[in-house]
Amino acid sequence: MYEFVPDGDPALDLTRGTGSTGWHPDSFRQRGWRAVYRASPRFVSVGWRRTMDKPSEANVTIPLAALDDARLRYPAIQPFRTVLGIVRDGFMVWGGIVWNLRVDLEERTLELAARDFLSYYETNHAYGGWSTKAGGDLQSDILKRMALRAEWGIQTSTAAITAMPRKRELSFLENEFKPSLDVMQDLADNIGGFFFRSAAWRAHEGTELRHDIRNTVDRTPRTASDPDGVPLPDLVDGTTCEVQELFLNGENIATTAYTIGASGSDKTAGVWSRRDNPQLRRLFPQRDVVNVMGSIKHQSTLDLHGDTALHFGTTGIVTPRVVTYPDVYTPHHFDPNMGQKLRLVSANEFMRIDSSYVLTEVRVAVNADGSDRCELSLCQEELFDAESFTRP
């Protein structure tokens, strides 16, 4: 467990310096907060969940009897000030901010509910008004800008952000207060977008927990592999896993996509987009999908969101729920935030499956005997194949 402590010199907060922001680079305003090691209590249960395009989550239960150190009791441990790191076999598998604590005085346990460092950007806003250049900025530059906008922030590193050639047009008024994470998610979840995640590691001989944002260059899923590049074993029903459920969802099917953008009194009021898929009308009755994205003011961006809705609306989504067998997979190798795919094989009574599926969520639970079980949610790879979709 770690604690957010202030860094920098508050006396320099209003001192002009040579930093890119114009403020002194060693001020508290610029350096913000860092996560410093506090203690490693024993626990009775631990688990974490990663979901595509969202902050990951973790839950840890600690017996109150293990909190025999003042560093592990209130007020030393508090929501938002406490940071959690989960280490398995010497490897940091998860790191993030504790947002909620629950003390069960009957069971005599302390339950920690945490989300990774991306959750910080849910409440950090792109305020003050800004816009990209004419024709747009590179998506990777916008991603860095969102991570570095936070004054008095949490020292998120952008050194691992991969350059992306695609440009996007964005602009925000002073009074919009668009959450920075929303901007990141709007960029990512699109045709021509990318996958991204927060990664954490121990630094300075374990005295600090550092973190960064990482991304892929595009939205193309890649074969899941270990750190050495060896592909993970196929998901074979009855051999490496058990396919417990199939869910087929048709609520995404769309023959026409409307995207409603900015409205109001500013000069871009009333912008909206309609995109059609006439070929799909030969297979389904007309079905409209309407998405309201009031912060978008550029026609090209609205059209892109409409194309994305049509692309995901060409067919129903098949979502298998899979539970892996113990000791077959190393849980931290599963990372839906980076667009992994695996071959799934199942000869169940309803439908035969033998193709690549994209990992959309993984839940990991550490059993009492120390083994891990992973519950996976998947969807078919074709939904991410932008080349197979002909834009209207």
Side-chain angles (χ1 to χ4, degrees):
M1 295 176 68
Y2 299 77
E3 177 189 11
F4 272 139
V5 300
D7 200 2
D9 185 352
L12 299 174
D13 281 354
L14 300 180
T15 303
R16 293 287 179 172
T18 58
S20 60
T21 62
W23 302 108
H24 197 289
D26 293 326
S27 71
F28 180 30
R29 176 184 189 133
Q30 290 303 301
R31 296 184 66 86
W33 300 77
R34 58 194 174 98
V36 176
Y37 178 76
R38 177 166 287 277
S40 297
R42 60 185 176 88
F43 59 86
V44 294
S45 68
V46 61
W48 64 94
R49 177 175 68 179
R50 300 187 188 277
T51 305
M52 184 183 292
D53 299 330
K54 294 182 179 180
S56 59
E57 303 174 357
N59 291 276
V60 175
T61 301
I62 302 170
L64 291 179
L67 307 181
D68 55 358
D69 190 319
R71 296 177 301 169
L72 294 172
R73 294 196 296 267
Y74 186 85
I77 293 180
Q78 296 185 49
F80 191 45
R81 196 173 84 179
T82 299
V83 176
L84 178 67
I86 299 175
V87 177
R88 293 281 290 160
D89 300 322
F91 183 84
M92 177 70 70
V93 298
W94 193 92
I97 303 168
V98 175
W99 288 97
N100 295 286
L101 304 175
R102 178 178 179 269
V103 182
D104 190 327
L105 295 176
E106 187 174 357
E107 295 293 330
R108 302 192 60 75
T109 58
L110 172 65
E111 300 172 9
L112 310 178
R115 289 182 291 156
D116 72 36
F117 292 100
L118 287 177
S119 62
Y120 171 78
Y121 292 95
E122 291 176 327
T123 55
N124 173 260
H125 294 78
Y127 59 85
W130 65 271
S131 64
T132 55
K133 297 188 293 289
D137 291 339
L138 295 176
Q139 291 186 123
S140 44
D141 290 342
I142 299 174
L143 190 60
K144 291 179 182 179
R145 186 173 185 174
M146 290 297 99
L148 296 176
R149 282 183 63 87
E151 296 173 348
W152 298 285
I154 57 172
Q155 299 189 355
T156 301
S157 171
T158 61
I161 291 179
T162 301
M164 292 174 280
R166 189 182 184 94
K167 292 185 176 182
R168 290 284 299 276
E169 291 184 285
L170 294 172
S171 61
F172 300 97
L173 300 175
E174 291 185 3
N175 62 347
E176 286 190 67
F177 295 96
K178 177 79 167 179
S180 297
L181 183 61
D182 285 2
V183 178
M184 299 178 191
Q185 292 169 331
D186 288 348
L187 290 171
D189 187 14
N190 268 302
I191 295 174
F194 53 91
F195 299 102
F196 74 111
R197 69 180 176 105
S198 168
W201 69 93
R202 291 176 292 182
H204 303 110
E205 297 182 352
T207 61
E208 291 187 25
L209 184 65
R210 304 304 302 270
H211 67 280
D212 62 20
I213 293 177
R214 303 181 184 186
N215 67 291
T216 59
V217 70
D218 55 33
R219 193 73 173 173
T220 302
R222 293 160 176 79
T223 300
S225 61
D226 65 19
D228 295 324
V230 178
L232 301 186
D234 294 341
L235 295 167
V236 181
D237 195 4
T239 302
T240 61
C241 68
E242 181 179 288
V243 179
Q244 296 189 338
E245 180 182 71
L246 295 173
F247 184 70
L248 281 69
N249 182 7
E251 295 180 0
N252 61 297
I253 292 175
T255 62
T256 302
Y258 295 94
T259 311
I260 312 301
S263 62
S265 59
D266 68 284
K267 64 181 181 180
T268 57
V271 65
W272 63 284
S273 169
R274 171 176 173 164
R275 311 294 273 178
D276 289 282
N277 187 347
Q279 291 83 6
L280 198 63
R281 291 201 190 100
R282 301 172 184 174
L283 301 175
F284 297 100
Q286 178 167 330
R287 186 171 190 275
D288 300 337
V289 171
V290 179
N291 293 314
V292 178
M293 310 188 75
S295 63
I296 295 179
K297 307 173 182 64
H298 300 276
Q299 191 68 49
S300 61
T301 303
L302 287 174
D303 291 344
L304 179 61
H305 280 280
D307 287 349
T308 302
L310 290 186
H311 181 48
F312 271 77
T314 55
T315 185
I317 299 177
V318 180
T319 307
R321 183 169 62 89
V322 176
V323 175
T324 64
Y325 289 159
D327 302 322
V328 177
Y329 301 92
T330 303
H332 65 261
H333 292 166
F334 290 127
D335 195 347
N337 300 96
M338 296 302 276
Q340 292 181 327
K341 66 179 181 180
L342 297 97
R343 179 169 170 253
L344 175 64
V345 179
S346 176
N348 60 79
E349 294 87 347
F350 181 71
M351 63 183 296
R352 293 186 177 275
I353 300 174
D354 187 353
S355 59
S356 291
Y357 275 70
V358 178
L359 184 61
T360 59
E361 183 175 88
V362 56
R363 296 171 182 256
V364 180
V366 180
N367 298 321
D369 61 3
S371 63
D372 304 295
R373 288 287 288 243
C374 303
E375 182 178 318
L376 312 178
S377 292
L378 308 149
C379 70
Q380 63 265 47
E381 183 185 13
E382 64 193 77
L383 296 173
F384 294 86
D385 184 8
E387 298 301 323
S388 68
F389 178 69
T390 303
R391 291 171 175 79

